[in-house]
Amino acid sequence: MHNLSLTELSAQLADGTLSSAELTTHLLGRIAEHADLNAFITVDREISLMQARAADERRAAGTAGPLTGIPVAHKDIFATREFRSTAGSRMLENYRSPFDATVVEKLGLGPFGAGMVTIGKANCDEFAMGSSNENSYFGPVKNPWDRRAISGGTSGGSAAAVAAGLVPVATGTDTGGSIRQPASMCGVTGIKPTYGRVSRWGMIAFASSLDQGGVLARSAADCALVLSHMAGFDARDSTSVERVPEDFTRELSRPVDGLRIGLPKEYFGPGVSPDVARAVEEALKEYKKLGAKLVNLSLPRTDLSIPAYYVIAPAEASSNLSRFDGVRYGHRAAEYGDLLEMYEQTRAEGFGWEVKRRILVGTYVLSHGYYDAYYLQAQKIRRLIAEDFRAAFRQCDVIATPVSPTVAWDIGEKVDDPVANYLADVFTLSVSLAGLPGLSLPCGFGDKGRPIGLQLIGDYFAEARILGAAHQFQKGTDWHTRAPGGTGHA
Ligand code: GLN
């Protein structure tokens, strides 16, 4: 039953061939069997089964929706009342939130929720900083396709859990690629919506002007269904966009005949490894066969996305993470002299190396005398990057690129070189800086049989368009239905 799509699961729950309690029990068993993947930080059988029974009752009462009773894994960056919320950090190792994040609420079993069952909290890089899911205090997530490989970061637990058939859908967050990159590396589909679409309330903050919640599932159709329940205006998030609720499945059956797909030359250069280039080219041929028109164009400021992002994101992080002071949240050092020492000791113990590095860089670029030279410049570049996209979307409807220049690398391969990790983000950062929607869909396998993703970028609020284009591709191909060997998942 872990091979079924959301639509199939939903139909079986509706006609009574399957109960949520059965499905949840089955998936909890799979999670235990695949514990070596380290995809979850917290699982609580009792709580998940209690939720499943509540969902079954809702079905029996005739008040169920299409997602009622379907298990979901939440990236452990979303605050949950019933499970601890760690953000992958020692700082929040035992943190219990007094409330649910809006996303958790919207998908969950509350009076206005979709009725999904939380199967557990998915592993992630500490405070969502990283590109490989090796920065989690709870250890790296292994890639189900090849356990020597990283899962991608920072929603690596979410991607690995979906890929291994431990859960049909998982939430993620994407600040600079953290949904798209692990989706690509684990061979699943993942979408980061337009900035402001999904409420950030209760999403533990990394870089507030970039952070955006989204979803990972096996197919674009499944992502579209869940996103429709997850997105929407939230007065509690000041950057939430006020728009009428949308059905993101509405363009799934729209043909791509005549669709203009832009190919920015900066994403197809020598920096892309041959296996990735080949798979992406094959995917584009498929689109051509379906009647799409390929348009060559340029996004000239692509190269500047790495320096601009790695100034802006740490700057915002240094500010956001100042709240972890040992007083208000989470960890507090056991031994200290005065108040200042308490702060220092707590933060020294609670944060890992990458988080500390970002706090230092962020504080530096915001400091008097350097603000103009770094932060302000980065903000100007950000605007230029957004303008590049604006110009591009005058020539095309969607943009297609690789997600990552290479397939997943080996665990440990780049741990001593933070810049090597940063460079791997080159194809995902611009989309985040511009605030555009982007998705990753599986399009083949490369070096060592590791998955490859194709990125589809849409104009603002064009999620339905890119999900539709992805679905049309998935109708004619089977990359998204393949499952890693040894997971008992066909
Ligand atoms: N890899 C990027 C970083 O380390 C993006 C992370 C993210 O999207 N959360 O910041």
Side-chain angles (χ1 to χ4, degrees), residues 35-286:
D36 67 308
L37 290 173
N38 203 22
F40 286 86
I41 291 175
T42 310
V43 180
D44 188 319
R45 194 181 174 82
E46 289 316 306
I47 291 174
S48 297
L49 285 175
M50 213 166 59
Q51 293 187 1
R53 284 191 290 268
D56 284 333
E57 277 165 27
R58 196 181 273 200
R59 265 211 195 265
T63 53
L67 296 178
T68 303
I70 293 181
V72 58
H74 286 298
K75 181 177 184 178
D76 205 12
I77 203 93
F78 288 100
T80 45
R81 256 183 312 122
E82 295 184 292
F83 296 78
R84 66 179 168 157
S85 304
T86 73
S89 181
R90 183 180 178 199
M91 189 61 95
L92 294 175
E93 188 176 2
N94 299 307
Y95 175 66
R96 282 274 170 173
S97 167
F99 59 86
D100 281 330
T102 298
V103 161
V104 173
E105 210 171 62
K106 274 178 163 294
L107 295 180
L109 279 144
F112 306 108
M116 298 184 88
V117 171
T118 303
I119 198 93
K121 302 295 291 286
N123 200 348
C124 59
D125 280 301
E126 186 175 10
F127 290 101
M129 297 176 192
S131 308
S132 64
N133 219 127
E134 291 168 289
N135 296 336
S136 168
Y137 173 63
F138 301 90
V141 176
K142 293 182 183 161
N143 192 313
W145 291 92
D146 180 345
R147 280 158 161 78
R148 289 166 305 179
I150 57 156
S151 58
T154 59
S155 311
S158 304
V162 172
L166 311 185
V167 70
V169 56
T171 57
T173 60
D174 192 311
T175 303
S178 280
I179 289 176
R180 293 161 283 157
Q181 194 242 24
S184 164
M185 290 182 169
C186 289
V188 302
T189 308
I191 180 166
K192 174 202 101 77
T194 307
Y195 180 78
R197 267 287 197 200
V198 168
S199 171
R200 290 184 302 107
W201 197 75
M203 215 171 92
I204 297 168
F206 161 17
S208 306
S209 76
L210 295 154
D211 295 345
Q212 184 55 205
V215 52
L216 300 98
R218 235 161 275 139
S219 67
D222 287 359
C223 286
L225 181 58
V226 176
L227 189 62
S228 303
H229 291 266
M230 199 172 154
F233 175 66
D234 180 6
R236 295 174 296 193
D237 170 4
S238 60
T239 56
S240 168
V241 191
E242 219 169 331
R243 287 172 75 94
V244 285
E246 274 185 42
D247 173 6
F248 294 105
T249 65
R250 68 179 189 275
E251 296 200 26
L252 291 182
S253 50
R254 181 170 165 186
V256 292
D257 186 23
L259 182 78
R260 296 171 304 163
I261 300 182
L263 308 177
K265 66 170 190 282
E266 293 76 10
Y267 288 69
F268 292 88
V272 185
S273 69
D275 53 343
V276 173
R278 206 173 317 115
V280 168
E281 264 163 42
E282 286 303 316
L284 294 172
K285 275 190 205 151
E286 180 67 27

Side-chain angles (χ1 to χ4, degrees), residues 305-350:
S305 64
I306 297 179
Y309 174 89
Y310 280 101
V311 167
I312 294 170
E316 295 184 19
S318 72
S319 165
N320 272 325
L321 271 57
S322 65
R323 73 189 64 174
F324 300 104
D325 55 7
V327 177
R328 284 171 290 185
Y329 306 94
H331 181 72
R332 179 187 294 176
E335 280 168 41
Y336 50 87
D338 59 6
L339 179 65
L340 189 64
E341 217 182 297
M342 191 280 281
Y343 291 150
E344 286 170 356
Q345 210 38 43
T346 295
R347 288 167 68 84
E349 292 170 4

Side-chain angles (χ1 to χ4, degrees), residues 279-300:
V280 168
E281 264 163 42
E282 286 303 316
L284 294 172
K285 275 190 205 151
E286 180 67 27
Y287 271 113
K288 235 176 136 173
K289 234 167 58 193
L290 295 171
K293 291 193 178 63
L294 305 183
V295 183
N296 291 316
L297 48 81
S298 170
L299 292 167

